[in-house]
Amino acid sequence: MLTIKPNQSIGPISLGMHRTDVTRHLNTLQLDCHHTLNRDIFAEGKIVVDYNSNDEVIAICINRDPYLPTLEPDLFGFNPLQQAAHKTIMRMSLKGQYDNQDPQLGMSYIYPALGVYFWRDASPESLQKERQGQRFGGAEDYVWYEQALQDYQQFHCVGVFAPGYL
């Protein structure tokens, strides 16, 4: 489990930490790493770290992945990626208020005071639009839509961020 500390860290990675320290800490977990200009991707996309121009951490994200259960997040004593999204939102309402002006609300829930965000790649509205735009002619189309609705029920990632990142 990787403990999430709002406004601070996920596991051994802290906001403000230098990129070389992040790599050193995560190398102890024997994770592969892919570098881009301002982002490192560890464990085939399970952990994503964004940096500012000084190579200091400004955001850390854990993506849902059923194949790496040892790298699951723990936020306030629960795993927000393994329960229904609406339950995560209810639990988080006890800790703070999400940004109800977020233009992607429904897909993302940002808690500015906590420096925590949740994301999923669809909203009911986007799924409905996509479904209406397609011709549903067979069973595989129905299965696709049902799977997309099932995926919508949970968040795909949770992260912490520095002020001004989002």
Side-chain angles (χ1 to χ4, degrees):
M1 284 285 206
L2 295 173
T3 301
I4 298 173
K5 295 180 183 170
N7 289 314
Q8 293 179 33
S9 63
I10 294 181
I13 310 166
S14 297
L15 296 172
M17 183 182 279
H18 196 270
R19 190 176 209 160
T20 55
D21 294 327
V22 170
T23 302
R24 185 171 39 82
H25 281 292
L26 290 181
N27 278 345
T28 63
L29 299 175
Q30 298 177 340
L31 302 176
D32 63 315
C33 180
H34 301 283
H35 301 284
T36 64
L37 182 60
N38 291 323
R39 175 173 282 177
D40 287 343
I41 301 169
F42 297 91
E44 299 181 21
K46 177 72 176 182
I47 300 173
V48 178
V49 182
D50 288 346
Y51 303 94
N52 62 17
S53 58
N54 295 322
D55 276 346
E56 298 166 330
V57 175
I58 55 173
I60 312 155
C61 167
I62 298 179
N63 291 297
R64 187 172 52 167
D65 183 347
Y67 303 110
L68 290 171
T70 58
L71 296 178
E72 292 300 315
D74 176 15
L75 175 64
F76 300 122
F78 72 98
N79 181 342
L81 303 181
Q82 286 189 340
Q83 66 177 4
H86 73 277
K87 289 184 178 180
T88 295
I89 295 165
M90 286 177 16
R91 289 178 95 161
M92 290 301 295
S93 70
L94 300 173
K95 303 293 182 182
Q97 184 65 33
Y98 62 80
D99 177 4
N100 60 9
Q101 300 300 312
D102 178 9
Q104 292 188 329
L105 190 61
M107 290 172 54
S108 68
Y109 286 82
I110 301 169
Y111 294 80
L114 298 172
V116 173
Y117 69 93
F118 303 94
W119 183 83
R120 53 188 165 190
D121 64 358
S123 68
E125 296 80 17
S126 67
L127 287 175
Q128 192 63 30
K129 286 179 188 175
E130 199 166 331
R131 183 176 189 218
Q132 289 171 349
Q134 294 191 8
R135 295 182 187 174
F136 282 84
E140 67 269 355
D141 292 333
Y142 179 76
V143 169
W144 169 87
Y145 183 70
E146 288 300 311
Q147 183 60 49
L149 282 177
Q150 191 68 20
D151 286 346
Y152 169 76
Q153 300 301 316
Q154 293 180 300
F155 286 114
H156 296 167
C157 80
V158 57
V160 297
F161 61 92
Y165 176 73
L166 297 177

